[in-house]
Each structure stands twice: as C-alpha cells, then as structure tokens.
Amino acid sequence: MRKKIVVGNWKMNKTVEEAVELSTAVAEHLGDGLVNCEVGIAPAFPALEAVGKVVEWSDIRLVAQNCHYEDDGAYTGEVSARMLESIGCTYVILGHSERRQLFGETSATVNLKVKKALGEGLRVIMCVGETLDEREKGITTEVVTGQVRSGLDGVSDLVSVVIAYEPVWAIGTGKTATPEQAEEMHATIRDTIREMYGDLPAEHLRIQYGGSVKPSNVAELFAKPNIDGGLIGGASLKADDFVAIVRAACC
Ligand code: PGA
C-alpha cells in the first residue's frame, strides 16, 4: 500500500517570523508519530532554514518550491538543488503551474531540474496539469501525459519521485476537480508510468492531487484508489485546516 503524502505549498506567503509561527503550530499538532502518511511544508526560500529548525525534531519534511538546474554560476535570483540539500530540504517541488505560466518554465527545463535535484539527493514532487482551455479542447490526457513523459525523460529510477496532478483551472480558484475527474487523470498518469517503467514502479509511485483541496472536500478525494495525498496551497496557510487535511490522509 502506498503511504499518502500531504505537502503544504505556502507559495509567496509568510515572512520568516510568520513562517516560524505557522510551522510551530503545525508541528505542535502533528509532531512525531506520523506513521500512516508523510507530511511536508514548503515555505518561501528566506524561511526555509528557520522552518527547518522548527520541524527538525518532528517527522515533518522540509520542502522547497523550486530550484535551478545548474550547481552554481551567474543566475541572479536562482537557488541550486545542492543549496537546498545543504540546509536540510528533503523534497523540492518542480514544474508547478505557476512556474510554467508566470515564469516561462517548460517541460524541458523541468526535466533538467528533476535530474539535477535527484542527482543531489533531493526527492522531487513534479507537478503536471492542464489549463481550462486545454480541458475544453479535449486534450487533457495528451497534455498531462506529455508533461509526465518529458519531465521524466532520462530519469531511470522513480523511487524519489512523486507526481502532483494539479489541474490549473482548480488552483486557487475554489473550483476543485470532482473526485471522479481527479481519479480518472491519476489512473491515466499511473498507466503512463506503467508503460514507461513497468508494473512495480507504477504501483509504488505516489500521485498527489492539488487544486483547492480543503477540509470539506478532502475525504472524498483521498478515498479514491489512485489519489495518494495532496499538494495544498491556500488551506495550508491555516494550521487548523492543514492539520485537518493531514488527519484525513492519515486515517
Ligand atoms: P490551492 O493551490 O490549494 O490554493 O488551489 C494548490 C497548489 O498550487 O499547489
């Protein structure tokens, strides 16, 4: 059985002080003893180290929101995978739709980042998902499986990879995909992984759902057989909501 994974993506929110406060509240509620699920929080870069200190005594993973695909050099404003690894990050989120839409990330750069992060010993949460326009044109499967295939091009081992399916039209909009819509795409992603890597890696790969997950809709989503947790944006900014979502995954 796959262990569910729930990660709070805080995006560009919270000062260091606020991030310490929020992570302390989350850690106090969840603490250790997270046996049935894996939990992570992804603050913005300036707060990573301070939040890392808050969660280091707990089972909560420190997660970064992005990294560059080079080790170092003249890349103003960027952060490398080994920098993240050196401050205790376990995971890095790559290819989030906001990075793809607002910052020109392509599946080719996502692929370079995935390979670099894995090479540095980080685990990767690779995000995929279609826009509303793509869904209305009926090309959702093509877009999402294309992102999966190109993002993982040349990646031989999936042990340290999690995929997050996040329909772009459901992110931050309050519109959640129905559990059936999400399950359908998760099953399609797993089939694609089966074609690429075989049965065992496909059965072990965890596929998170992301897009307006909240305490009121999480149980139905997590009950679906191919939904292995969530990548939580807005609701992860409130300790009580995030903890409620984690508890739904842990049961
Ligand atoms: P949301 O964001 O939960 O606010 O929709 C999810 C995400 O972008 O990861």
Side-chain angles (χ1 to χ4, degrees):
M1 197 169 118
R2 295 179 293 267
K3 197 185 234 197
K4 286 201 169 40
I5 173 165
V6 179
V7 172
N9 173 12
W10 293 359
K11 309 192 179 185
M12 196 177 74
N13 291 293
K14 307 288 175 191
T15 62
V16 175
E17 200 177 299
E18 291 162 350
V20 166
E21 198 180 314
L22 178 56
S23 55
T24 304
V26 170
E28 274 170 2
H29 277 98
L30 299 175
D32 48 11
L34 287 169
V35 277
N36 295 327
C37 65
E38 194 177 4
V39 176
I41 46 186
F45 288 138
L48 271 174
E49 207 168 357
V51 169
K53 291 203 170 77
V54 173
V55 298
E56 71 187 350
W57 59 269
S58 76
D59 292 334
I60 298 169
R61 311 280 199 193
L62 187 63
V63 181
Q65 298 177 17
N66 181 32
C67 72
H68 197 266
Y69 51 81
E70 295 289 353
D71 286 332
D72 40 44
Y75 300 100
T76 302
E78 292 291 327
V79 169
S80 71
R82 61 187 192 138
M83 292 172 189
L84 298 177
E85 199 277 331
S86 76
I87 57 161
C89 289
T90 302
Y91 283 91
V92 58
I93 299 169
L94 295 173
H96 190 279
S97 67
E98 284 149 18
R99 304 282 330 156
R100 293 181 195 254
Q101 294 205 306
L102 306 173
F103 302 100
E105 259 182 44
T106 62
S107 287
T109 53
V110 173
N111 176 244
L112 291 172
K113 292 177 178 202
V114 168
K115 287 189 281 199
K116 175 55 74 180
L118 292 174
E120 289 301 326
L122 289 170
R123 300 180 201 172
V124 164
I125 296 171
M126 186 180 84
C127 304
V128 297
E130 81 287 0
T131 62
L132 185 57
D133 187 45
E134 289 161 343
R135 180 161 277 264
E136 284 172 352
K137 282 190 184 135
I139 55 170
T140 299
T141 300
E142 205 175 313
V143 168
V144 171
T145 59
Q147 289 172 344
V148 169
R149 285 183 186 279
S150 46
L152 295 176
D153 187 35
V155 174
S156 55
D157 190 347
L158 286 191
V159 167
S160 299
V161 175
V162 172
I163 292 182
Y165 169 61
E166 300 203 301
V168 178
W169 47 271
I171 295 179
T173 57
K175 285 189 205 157
T176 326
T178 63
E180 291 69 33
Q181 281 173 322
E183 170 63 15
E184 189 188 353
M185 280 319 298
H186 283 231
T188 302
I189 292 169
R190 201 175 302 288
D191 287 344
T192 305
I193 295 296
R194 191 170 288 112
E195 281 169 29
M196 294 170 75
Y197 294 91
D199 285 342
L200 209 57
E203 283 315 309
H204 280 100
L205 177 81
R206 290 175 299 171
I207 307 173
Q208 297 175 298
Y209 171 77
S212 299
V213 177
K214 34 189 186 277
S216 58
N217 60 21
V218 67
E220 275 188 312
L221 286 161
F222 286 0
K224 293 290 177 195
N226 283 292
I227 300 183
D228 308 311
L231 186 54
I232 320 298
S236 70
L237 296 172
K238 291 184 210 127
D240 289 351
D241 284 359
F242 186 64
V243 168
I245 291 167
V246 170
R247 292 214 193 287
C250 288
C251 67

